[in-house]
Amino acid sequence: MSFVPNQFDDVSIATIRTLAADVVAKANSGHPGAPMGMAAVAHVLFSRFINANPKNSQWFNRDRFVLSNGHGCALQYVLLHLLGYKLSLDDLKAFRQIDSKTPGHPEFHHTDGIEVTTGPLGQGISAAVGLAIAQAHLGATYNKDGFDLINNFTYVFAGDGCLMEGVASEAASLAGHLQLGNLIVVYDDNHISIDGDTNVAFTEDVPKRFEAYGWDVLHVDDGDTDLKSIYEAIAKARTTPTPTLIRLRTTIGYGSKQQGTHGVHGAPLKADDIQQLKTKFGLPADKTFYVPEDTYAAYKEVGVRGAELESKWNALLESYKSQYPTEHAELTRRISGKLPENWEKNLPVYTPADAAQASRKLSEIVLSKLVPAIPDLIGGSADLTGSNLTRVKGMVDFQHPSTELGTYAGTYIRYGVREHAMGAIANGLSAYGGIVPYVSTFLNFVSYAAGAVRLSALSGHPVIWVATHDSIGLGEDGPTHQPIETGAHFRALPNCAFWRPADGNETSAAYKWALTTKSTPSILSLSRQNLPNLEGSTIDNAVKGGYVVHEVEGEALTIVSSGSEVSIALEAASKLQAEGIKTRVVSIPCWLVFDQQPQEYRLSVLRSGAPILSLEALSTTGWQKYSHEQYGIDTFGASGPYLQVYEKFGITGTNIASVGKKVVDFYKKKGGDVVSPILKAF
Amino acid sequence: MSFVPNQFDDVSIATIRTLAADVVAKANSGHPGAPMGMAAVAHVLFSRFINANPKNSQWFNRDRFVLSNGHGCALQYVLLHLLGYKLSLDDLKAFRQIDSKTPGHPEFHHTDGIEVTTGPLGQGISAAVGLAIAQAHLGATYNKDGFDLINNFTYVFAGDGCLMEGVASEAASLAGHLQLGNLIVVYDDNHISIDGDTNVAFTEDVPKRFEAYGWDVLHVDDGDTDLKSIYEAIAKARTTPTPTLIRLRTTIGYGSKQQGTHGVHGAPLKADDIQQLKTKFGLPADKTFYVPEDTYAAYKEVGVRGAELESKWNALLESYKSQYPTEHAELTRRISGKLPENWEKNLPVYTPADAAQASRKLSEIVLSKLVPAIPDLIGGSADLTGSNLTRVKGMVDFQHPSTELGTYAGTYIRYGVREHAMGAIANGLSAYGGIVPYVSTFLNFVSYAAGAVRLSALSGHPVIWVATHDSIGLGEDGPTHQPIETGAHFRALPNCAFWRPADGNETSAAYKWALTTKSTPSILSLSRQNLPNLEGSTIDNAVKGGYVVHEVEGEALTIVSSGSEVSIALEAASKLQAEGIKTRVVSIPCWLVFDQQPQEYRLSVLRSGAPILSLEALSTTGWQKYSHEQYGIDTFGASGPYLQVYEKFGITGTNIASVGKKVVDFYKKKGGDVVSPILKAF
Ligand SMILES: [Ca+2]
Ligand SMILES: [Ca+2]
């Protein structure tokens, strides 16, 4: 293939540049520099390479485009509009306004044609590695001779900021290891970041670094105007067997009087600057939001080509159906987002007679049942497989076949010690479709991935974190590895289901909920130590997020707890009972889900009439919502055998019984009604 | 310099290996593989190079040693013991036991001779960059001709895990940019990580990557036994003008029957394996915790040399005193950890007549007063200097002089978009001594650095985070940039002071507290938008962490709030007052500090008698501790002009007044006493 210029190229690029300037100016907020600098490459990429149908942004085999430098989203919004996605000129005029389709950074699910949420630097390029893995995996799984059904590329635009972020380094190293030839990153090397020239902080040899990761690196020296070189670089990148970084030298804010300076990075251009810009590029200086007919015509053609591609693909899929009916049924089911019928019947059920086990082990048992039943599950761990217990029998590693360590059809990813990239990659796997990713590390190190977990929650990616060793119960590794604040952190994160199951049935319930939701990530907080199976726990109870695990009438005290401490609460209750103090026990494995239950139910669980004491081997922060009194750990933990650490922090049946007595006495002395803490004024 | 072997080398290395195996075996928990693999390099480094005095681990110009692969701490504990630090054989026998000096990972302040806390992977090597910057800076500032007072090296041991972590990539890139020739990292290239062979996930060309960062890379092919090559590599590394990575090929668990396999990584050796190990290395197979006299003798000599070095240095410092009395006074004051006399008199004080300003701007004003008065302050930003407002007039960048962008005597670090490394580097700057680091980014992106902030808190490094744009008040950038869960997260983190000042005096108070503490990091959560100066706020009030900002007697309602919402609470109170509903307003800028006040004071602030409503433009999680009812944002934010975003979420004087009325009515209907939420049973 070689570059064939057309009559619309210049006017299209001029339109992108001036429209982006107008969009930012109208909002009086935003980043014009990157859109203007990257207009040429954007035009070449979208007009010549990207296979997508603007009229159906969900076509499964579309090329994925990720604007990792999401602050430059005026560029992406302009392109989506020109291409004919559901984004009008009025939407562009509402840039960065309340409830518009064009928020300050691109958001998945919010705007037609946005593949993943970007803006927090490094997230886009890392999620793109997930998109690329998804293609490689589904292609290897479902493509057949003559049926190259899943063969899209993933294209990324990224700036200096993204490449400085550690999460992107992690993801790029893994992408190189996995030899993801379907991944093409255009690095906008404009020598400018917010603090000014990149010379102040970023002087490493980026191409050499990416070569060290096993990437190809191509160079385009004039990214502002040299369409031919841009074209040739992208064309070449599509043919190489490794991921490619195209280092594109551009001028930030190209065409502005301030081009090439930090002044055009994050502030609108002045009116006179925009006017001279339009004049310079042959567009009327006095018109705003002006799109020449030629530009619309050029992009309409691109859309027509995309629609044809989809039609052909649909026909291919039909023909696949007759030759490979089983694979077709499975693939289309996966694309639809439905899990296999009756998958949940595989969930193990327990009685108190079953042996005590660590909830990480209970999780492994669930996975050992579900992985064979749900091919959508793609697991992995950040180098803690043997501790997280996430690689179940029969799983094959996802590896490039040349390594002989696995294949692209494999469903277990060796993420290496790269928690943050793992979280971002999982977002990409989920966004691609047809895949339900679960990832794992110690609960304490989910915090390393906080930026990615936040975007899971904001974007509604139902990623599952298998987060083991979830308290002081990990014992000897000590306070550097013992989470304290982690529960409060992720419970406070909107749309994040932090599950802390107490036993086997609750572990099954957590998986049941996590796999049923289509729009919420789950963190399964799991113990290293053994937990008994509780009388009173059932999947149906636990899947409500909270329930009474031990009921008595006329109680003097309720203890509300989660995870590994529920059995300790039950032990305390039984000691109190022996002293004539009637004590109920409530288990709340997931706050988010419990809060979604009807108030009547919640009030029946956390009822008025007696004080409620919370118990958890984590920070007490937030438990005030469900209890009058709180017992937990508001300092760092300690290194030692786990039972001794529990003893040190007073989390034993004996001590909690004694604390419970204090609570009962205090409320007796206080007098008056004891009202449920969830009864609220508004 | 060339390597001169001595008669004690072999026995010393054998002792390290067998003692480490014994330590882990006795604990029946821990990691023998790395200590055994790195025994040779540890011995060469400590016996030939490290300048330190075991009898005074605080000698200022000591070489710093960081075991970044902190799970191998049996190695470090063994060395500290052999060298004569305050660590007995009994301490080694108490490895990983409750309250011992030898926890599962090395902890700063906890164990004599530990420079920074390590274990969470990537943190040690990144903190080491901070240690190296500190030396470069203090050397450039205080060294004079003939007085090379501050010239120590920083040595790091790191494994594959550390090098896979993004935080380490960020730190290494910056270290290369800054040309830190005083930094030497020994990379234990043993081809093993927890998931097995590093081939499964880590196949990048590490030396090439570090060369891309601007590091020298040296190779030692036999790190198990080739002491001469190890010696020569370290000797060479000390002479190069850039940071050096020594790639040392070792055999994990060298000497074990399972050497070179993942089996020796994280589990004790079996008894028979330890016996054959001792026999193989010429030590008695039947003795445990056996240290030959020759080994003690060899290390005693090392200690004597260290003590002599310190004596000489002390003499040099005395002579410096007479020639450079001003510098001497300042340097020794800084070493002592005391700030200049009366520094706090520079803190600005405000009255309500002063113009409304953003608290990020108020922070800049504080810094503009304090930076000239406190040379200990080393600032910086993760590429958001112009938004964080952290580089005040007169500051010079910390840069290698060859760049002509600054000097090593400069006090402002351009961190680049590397939040996590910035946090870890700040830990190293603080650990070195003589430096008070402040670092900055948007509050939302402090989460990227959660791993480092956690270690600040655990280690007690009084790092200051200038965390601006701290709510939906950042407006147009939208939900990807608007923190919601961040307050709950860092308030739940033990020993972390999360300050959210409401105005000028509270901002001064936050800095006053943050600079006075010696053992707690502070996060200053600051607004983008303007905030009025409040009647009733004073530094003395705010430094208590919470106080009554608007008092009335016989109130029907108290509103408790923080930061930018305090003035909205006051507006609501005034509207309620106009309707005859007496309303007090409490400001709690810092939970941690408020909780440290005497109960009597806290009860006077959050008194019984009327309901308390909390108001904050962040998650309500945790506010239940201080209030009966909570108003906040438990969903993600929105992109738009900030006043409209506040309106959308109902955080306006009018709406909060209406919510306040509901609260008052609810509690009137409910009847009975309204008791302060901080009155507790235990
Ligand atoms: Ca840039
Ligand atoms: Ca290793």
Side-chain angles (χ1 to χ4, degrees):
Chain A
M1 296 201 297
S2 63
F3 180 61
V4 183
N6 77 41
Q7 56 182 323
F8 302 131
D9 286 332
D10 287 350
V11 70
S12 296
I13 294 168
T15 306
I16 295 170
R17 285 191 169 119
T18 56
L19 206 45
D22 279 347
V23 163
V24 174
K26 172 98 174 27
N28 196 26
S29 169
H31 301 75
M36 293 165 68
M38 298 193 85
V41 67
H43 172 70
V44 171
L45 179 65
F46 278 87
S47 66
R48 304 308 202 280
F49 292 102
I50 285 205
N51 295 331
N53 179 4
K55 298 304 169 204
N56 176 15
S57 63
Q58 297 309 300
W59 171 35
F60 198 71
N61 193 40
R62 68 191 180 277
D63 287 336
R64 267 62 170 184
F65 173 75
V66 175
L67 187 82
S68 194
N69 48 349
H71 55 269
C73 56
L75 174 66
Q76 192 167 12
Y77 296 146
V78 163
L79 283 161
L80 290 173
H81 168 70
L82 295 177
L83 284 159
Y85 286 82
K86 295 189 189 78
L87 208 70
S88 67
L89 263 187
D90 282 341
D91 291 326
L92 295 184
K93 289 176 187 167
F95 183 54
R96 294 186 153 225
Q97 303 306 302
I98 292 270
D99 297 332
S100 77
K101 287 186 187 164
T102 46
H105 293 84
E107 294 175 34
F108 178 74
H109 265 168
H110 185 93
T111 308
D112 190 39
I114 299 295
E115 302 288 359
V116 289
T117 302
T118 60
L121 293 171
Q123 296 295 334
I125 184 172
S126 306
V129 173
L131 293 170
I133 291 173
Q135 183 282 317
H137 172 69
L138 292 171
T141 307
Y142 294 106
N143 290 349
K144 305 282 178 193
D145 262 2
F147 293 96
D148 208 13
L149 276 172
I150 316 281
N151 66 356
N152 71 281
F153 284 90
T154 296
Y155 297 98
V156 180
F157 286 0
D160 296 294
C162 284
L163 299 196
M164 278 189 260
E165 288 285 4
V167 58
S169 298
E170 293 175 3
S173 174
L174 186 59
H177 167 76
L178 294 171
Q179 304 179 47
L180 300 170
N182 57 355
L183 177 63
I184 297 169
V185 175
V186 177
Y187 162 38
D188 182 25
D189 182 16
N190 62 18
H191 285 208
I192 293 293
S193 63
I194 296 180
D195 267 15
D197 194 291
T198 52
N199 278 345
V200 304
F202 192 48
T203 51
E204 63 170 56
D205 184 340
V206 172
K208 185 169 178 175
R209 169 157 68 98
F210 275 75
E211 284 166 12
Y213 294 142
W215 290 48
D216 281 313
V217 179
L218 305 175
H219 297 265
V220 177
D221 290 333
D222 171 9
D224 299 325
T225 65
D226 184 355
L227 307 190
K228 183 165 182 294
S229 294
I230 292 170
Y231 179 94
E232 286 166 355
I234 298 172
K236 168 133 194 249
R238 290 160 50 101
T239 66
T240 59
T242 67
T244 303
L245 184 80
I246 300 175
R247 181 180 151 280
L248 187 83
R249 284 286 287 122
T250 70
T251 306
I252 191 168
Y254 182 76
S256 158
K257 291 197 278 189
Q258 290 192 81
Q259 70 175 30
T261 73
H262 157 254
V264 291
H265 171 84
L269 303 193
K270 298 217 169 95
D272 66 326
D273 194 4
I274 295 182
Q275 287 184 1
Q276 70 79 28
L277 181 79
K278 290 174 178 170
T279 304
K280 187 182 292 174
F281 290 134
L283 296 179
D286 56 338
K287 292 193 181 170
T288 59
F289 289 92
Y290 174 67
V291 181
E293 279 312 311
D294 281 354
T295 304
Y296 275 133
Y299 276 100
K300 192 172 178 188
E301 248 181 64
V302 174
V304 167
R305 185 174 65 84
E308 285 168 4
L309 285 168
E310 186 188 355
S311 293
K312 275 188 208 158
W313 188 84
N314 287 333
L316 188 69
L317 186 66
E318 271 306 298
S319 141
Y320 183 80
K321 181 177 184 176
S322 54
Q323 282 203 43
Y324 301 100
T326 313
E327 288 84 349
H328 175 271
E330 190 173 89
L331 174 61
T332 50
R333 176 194 61 71
R334 289 178 69 166
I335 292 175
S336 78
K338 277 194 201 127
L339 294 187
E341 296 276 319
N342 297 321
W343 66 268
E344 67 275 10
K345 297 210 168 141
N346 297 288
L347 290 167
V349 176
Y350 297 84
T351 73
D354 291 310
Q357 302 207 64
S359 50
R360 62 175 171 147
K361 181 70 190 170
L362 295 163
S363 158
E364 184 185 35
I365 295 169
V366 172
L367 289 171
S368 72
K369 306 285 183 187
L370 294 186
V371 164
I374 308 178
D376 320 47
L377 286 168
I378 305 290
S381 166
D383 195 41
L384 286 169
T385 296
S387 300
N388 301 139
L389 303 178
T390 36
R391 189 172 187 274
V392 300
K393 216 179 134 185
M395 288 184 101
V396 170
D397 280 2
F398 177 85
Q399 298 278 6
H400 192 274
S402 68
T403 62
E404 299 183 7
L405 297 168
T407 73
Y408 275 173
T411 57
Y412 194 81
I413 300 175
R414 303 286 186 168
Y415 284 101
V417 190
R418 303 182 181 104
E419 298 84 3
H420 200 173
M422 177 169 71
I425 288 169
N427 290 340
L429 289 171
S430 177
Y432 190 92
I435 287 173
V436 178
Y438 68 89
V439 296
S440 57
T441 182
F442 286 177
L443 176 59
N444 194 50
F445 299 114
V446 181
S447 304
Y448 269 44
V453 175
R454 188 171 212 276
L455 287 198
S456 299
L458 176 58
S459 308
H461 299 308
V463 170
I464 300 173
W465 282 81
V466 179
T468 69
H469 297 64
D470 74 340
S471 72
I472 53 169
L474 75 64
E476 289 88 347
D477 274 350
T480 56
H481 287 52
Q482 291 165 352
I484 298 292
E485 74 287 6
T486 321
H489 174 189
F490 292 115
R491 284 166 174 152
L493 178 64
N495 193 39
C496 178
F498 182 83
W499 284 90
R500 199 157 178 271
D503 73 352
N505 291 330
E506 290 198 7
T507 303
S508 290
Y511 272 100
K512 180 173 183 178
W513 192 92
L515 284 164
T516 304
T517 178
K518 296 291 170 227
S519 56
T520 301
S522 297
I523 297 174
L524 313 189
S525 168
L526 302 168
S527 75
R528 178 191 185 210
Q529 73 272 29
N530 286 345
L531 310 178
N533 284 293
L534 307 177
E535 187 86 52
S537 93
T538 65
I539 294 181
D540 285 350
N541 272 335
V543 86
K544 291 177 193 154
Y547 65 100
V548 184
V549 64
H550 176 65
E551 185 61 285
V552 292
E553 293 307 315
E555 77 276 12
L557 178 72
T558 293
I559 306 178
V560 55
S561 186
S562 92
S564 41
E565 286 70 67
V566 176
S567 59
I568 296 170
L570 286 162
E571 192 191 328
S574 137
K575 285 180 195 290
L576 287 165
Q577 191 79 28
E579 301 188 43
I581 301 170
K582 292 185 178 177
T583 305
R584 297 163 79 228
V585 178
V586 165
S587 174
I588 304 195
C590 183
W591 294 13
L592 182 88
V593 174
F594 182 65
D595 289 350
Q596 291 167 353
Q597 304 307 314
Q599 188 181 31
E600 197 185 355
Y601 175 73
R602 286 182 289 121
L603 272 173
S604 76
V605 174
L606 297 173
R607 67 188 175 205
S608 297
I612 303 175
L613 166 68
S614 75
L615 171 66
E616 191 176 56
L618 293 172
S619 167
T620 58
T621 303
W623 275 106
Q624 296 84 358
K625 182 158 85 160
Y626 300 127
S627 61
H628 303 91
E629 303 284 329
Q630 297 77 37
Y631 198 92
I633 306 178
D634 289 318
T635 61
F636 287 102
S639 171
Y642 89 89
L643 283 174
Q644 292 174 35
V645 184
Y646 267 82
E647 186 81 38
K648 178 181 168 78
F649 287 100
I651 304 187
T652 60
T654 307
N655 188 54
I656 297 306
S658 135
V659 169
K661 264 188 279 184
K662 280 187 206 156
V663 171
V664 172
D665 289 347
F666 179 80
Y667 278 82
K668 214 175 272 172
K669 256 186 225 152
K670 194 172 170 183
D673 292 346
V674 183
V675 176
S676 168
I678 61 173
L679 264 177
K680 289 291 182 182
F682 61 92
Chain B
M1 296 201 297
S2 63
F3 180 63
V4 183
N6 75 42
Q7 57 180 323
F8 302 131
D9 287 331
D10 288 348
V11 70
S12 297
I13 295 168
T15 306
I16 296 170
R17 286 191 168 118
T18 54
L19 206 45
D22 280 346
V23 162
V24 173
K26 172 99 173 29
N28 195 25
S29 168
H31 301 75
M36 292 165 67
M38 298 193 84
V41 66
H43 171 70
V44 172
L45 179 65
F46 278 86
S47 66
R48 306 306 203 280
F49 292 103
I50 286 203
N51 295 330
N53 180 4
K55 297 305 168 203
N56 175 16
S57 64
Q58 297 309 300
W59 170 36
F60 199 71
N61 194 41
R62 68 192 179 275
D63 288 336
R64 267 62 171 184
F65 173 75
V66 175
L67 186 81
S68 194
N69 47 350
H71 54 269
C73 57
L75 174 66
Q76 193 167 11
Y77 296 146
V78 163
L79 283 161
L80 291 173
H81 169 70
L82 295 177
L83 284 159
Y85 286 81
K86 296 190 187 78
L87 208 70
S88 66
L89 262 189
D90 282 341
D91 292 323
L92 295 185
K93 289 176 186 167
F95 183 54
R96 294 187 153 223
Q97 303 306 303
I98 292 270
D99 297 331
S100 77
K101 287 186 186 165
T102 47
H105 293 84
E107 295 175 34
F108 178 74
H109 265 167
H110 185 92
T111 308
D112 190 40
I114 300 295
E115 302 287 359
V116 289
T117 302
T118 60
L121 293 171
Q123 297 295 333
I125 184 173
S126 306
V129 173
L131 293 170
I133 290 173
Q135 183 281 317
H137 173 69
L138 292 171
T141 306
Y142 294 106
N143 290 349
K144 305 282 178 192
D145 263 1
F147 293 97
D148 208 13
L149 276 172
I150 317 281
N151 66 356
N152 71 281
F153 283 91
T154 297
Y155 297 98
V156 181
F157 285 1
D160 296 293
C162 284
L163 298 196
M164 279 190 257
E165 287 285 5
V167 59
S169 297
E170 293 175 2
S173 174
L174 186 60
H177 168 76
L178 295 171
Q179 302 178 47
L180 299 170
N182 57 354
L183 176 64
I184 298 168
V185 175
V186 177
Y187 161 39
D188 181 25
D189 183 16
N190 61 18
H191 284 208
I192 293 292
S193 62
I194 297 179
D195 267 17
D197 193 292
T198 52
N199 278 345
V200 304
F202 191 49
T203 51
E204 63 170 56
D205 183 340
V206 172
K208 185 169 178 176
R209 170 156 69 95
F210 275 76
E211 285 166 11
Y213 295 142
W215 289 49
D216 282 313
V217 179
L218 306 174
H219 298 264
V220 177
D221 290 332
D222 172 9
D224 299 325
T225 65
D226 184 354
L227 307 191
K228 182 166 184 289
S229 294
I230 292 170
Y231 178 93
E232 285 167 356
I234 298 172
K236 170 138 194 243
R238 290 161 48 102
T239 66
T240 59
T242 66
T244 304
L245 184 80
I246 300 175
R247 181 180 152 281
L248 186 83
R249 286 284 286 122
T250 69
T251 306
I252 192 167
Y254 183 76
S256 158
K257 292 196 277 188
Q258 291 193 79
Q259 70 174 32
T261 73
H262 157 254
V264 291
H265 171 85
L269 303 193
K270 300 215 169 95
D272 66 327
D273 195 3
I274 295 182
Q275 287 184 0
Q276 70 81 26
L277 182 80
K278 289 174 179 170
T279 304
K280 187 183 290 172
F281 291 135
L283 297 180
D286 57 339
K287 292 194 181 169
T288 60
F289 289 92
Y290 173 66
V291 180
E293 278 313 311
D294 281 355
T295 304
Y296 275 133
Y299 277 100
K300 191 172 177 189
E301 248 181 67
V302 174
V304 168
R305 185 174 65 83
E308 284 168 5
L309 285 168
E310 186 189 354
S311 293
K312 276 188 209 159
W313 189 83
N314 286 334
L316 188 68
L317 186 65
E318 270 307 297
S319 141
Y320 183 78
K321 180 178 184 177
S322 53
Q323 282 203 44
Y324 300 100
T326 313
E327 289 84 349
H328 175 272
E330 190 173 85
L331 174 61
T332 49
R333 176 193 61 70
R334 289 178 69 167
I335 292 175
S336 78
K338 278 195 201 128
L339 294 185
E341 294 277 318
N342 297 321
W343 66 270
E344 66 275 11
K345 298 211 167 140
N346 295 286
L347 290 166
V349 176
Y350 297 84
T351 73
D354 291 309
Q357 301 207 66
S359 50
R360 62 175 170 147
K361 181 72 189 167
L362 294 162
S363 159
E364 184 185 36
I365 295 168
V366 171
L367 289 171
S368 72
K369 306 285 182 187
L370 293 187
V371 164
I374 308 178
D376 319 46
L377 286 167
I378 305 289
S381 166
D383 195 43
L384 286 169
T385 296
S387 299
N388 301 139
L389 304 177
T390 36
R391 189 174 187 274
V392 300
K393 217 177 131 184
M395 288 184 101
V396 169
D397 280 3
F398 177 86
Q399 298 277 7
H400 192 274
S402 69
T403 62
E404 298 184 7
L405 296 168
T407 72
Y408 275 174
T411 58
Y412 194 80
I413 300 175
R414 304 285 186 169
Y415 285 100
V417 190
R418 303 182 181 104
E419 298 84 3
H420 201 172
M422 177 169 71
I425 288 169
N427 290 340
L429 290 171
S430 177
Y432 189 92
I435 287 174
V436 178
Y438 68 89
V439 296
S440 56
T441 182
F442 287 177
L443 176 59
N444 194 50
F445 300 115
V446 181
S447 304
Y448 269 44
V453 175
R454 188 171 211 277
L455 286 198
S456 299
L458 175 58
S459 309
H461 299 309
V463 170
I464 300 173
W465 282 81
V466 179
T468 70
H469 297 63
D470 74 339
S471 72
I472 54 168
L474 75 64
E476 288 88 348
D477 273 350
T480 56
H481 286 53
Q482 291 164 353
I484 298 291
E485 75 286 7
T486 322
H489 174 188
F490 292 115
R491 283 165 176 154
L493 178 63
N495 193 38
C496 178
F498 183 82
W499 283 90
R500 200 158 177 270
D503 73 352
N505 291 332
E506 289 198 7
T507 304
S508 290
Y511 272 101
K512 182 174 181 178
W513 193 91
L515 285 164
T516 303
T517 177
K518 297 290 170 227
S519 56
T520 302
S522 297
I523 297 174
L524 313 189
S525 168
L526 302 168
S527 75
R528 179 192 185 208
Q529 72 272 29
N530 286 345
L531 309 177
N533 283 293
L534 307 176
E535 187 84 50
S537 93
T538 64
I539 295 180
D540 285 348
N541 273 334
V543 87
K544 292 177 193 156
Y547 65 100
V548 184
V549 62
H550 176 66
E551 186 60 287
V552 293
E553 293 306 316
E555 77 276 10
L557 178 71
T558 292
I559 305 178
V560 56
S561 186
S562 92
S564 41
E565 286 70 65
V566 177
S567 59
I568 295 170
L570 286 162
E571 192 192 327
S574 137
K575 284 179 196 292
L576 287 165
Q577 191 78 30
E579 301 188 43
I581 301 170
K582 290 185 179 175
T583 305
R584 296 162 80 228
V585 178
V586 165
S587 176
I588 303 195
C590 183
W591 295 13
L592 182 88
V593 174
F594 182 65
D595 289 350
Q596 291 167 353
Q597 304 307 315
Q599 188 180 31
E600 195 185 357
Y601 175 74
R602 286 183 289 121
L603 272 174
S604 76
V605 174
L606 297 173
R607 68 189 174 202
S608 297
I612 302 175
L613 167 67
S614 76
L615 171 65
E616 190 176 57
L618 293 172
S619 167
T620 57
T621 304
W623 275 105
Q624 296 84 359
K625 183 158 83 159
Y626 301 127
S627 61
H628 303 90
E629 302 283 329
Q630 297 77 36
Y631 197 94
I633 306 178
D634 289 316
T635 62
F636 286 102
S639 170
Y642 88 90
L643 283 173
Q644 292 174 37
V645 184
Y646 267 83
E647 186 81 40
K648 178 182 169 79
F649 287 100
I651 303 186
T652 61
T654 306
N655 188 54
I656 297 306
S658 135
V659 169
K661 263 188 279 185
K662 281 186 208 159
V663 171
V664 171
D665 289 349
F666 179 82
Y667 277 82
K668 213 174 273 168
K669 258 187 222 149
K670 195 174 172 184
D673 291 345
V674 183
V675 177
S676 169
I678 60 173
L679 265 177
K680 290 290 184 184
F682 61 91

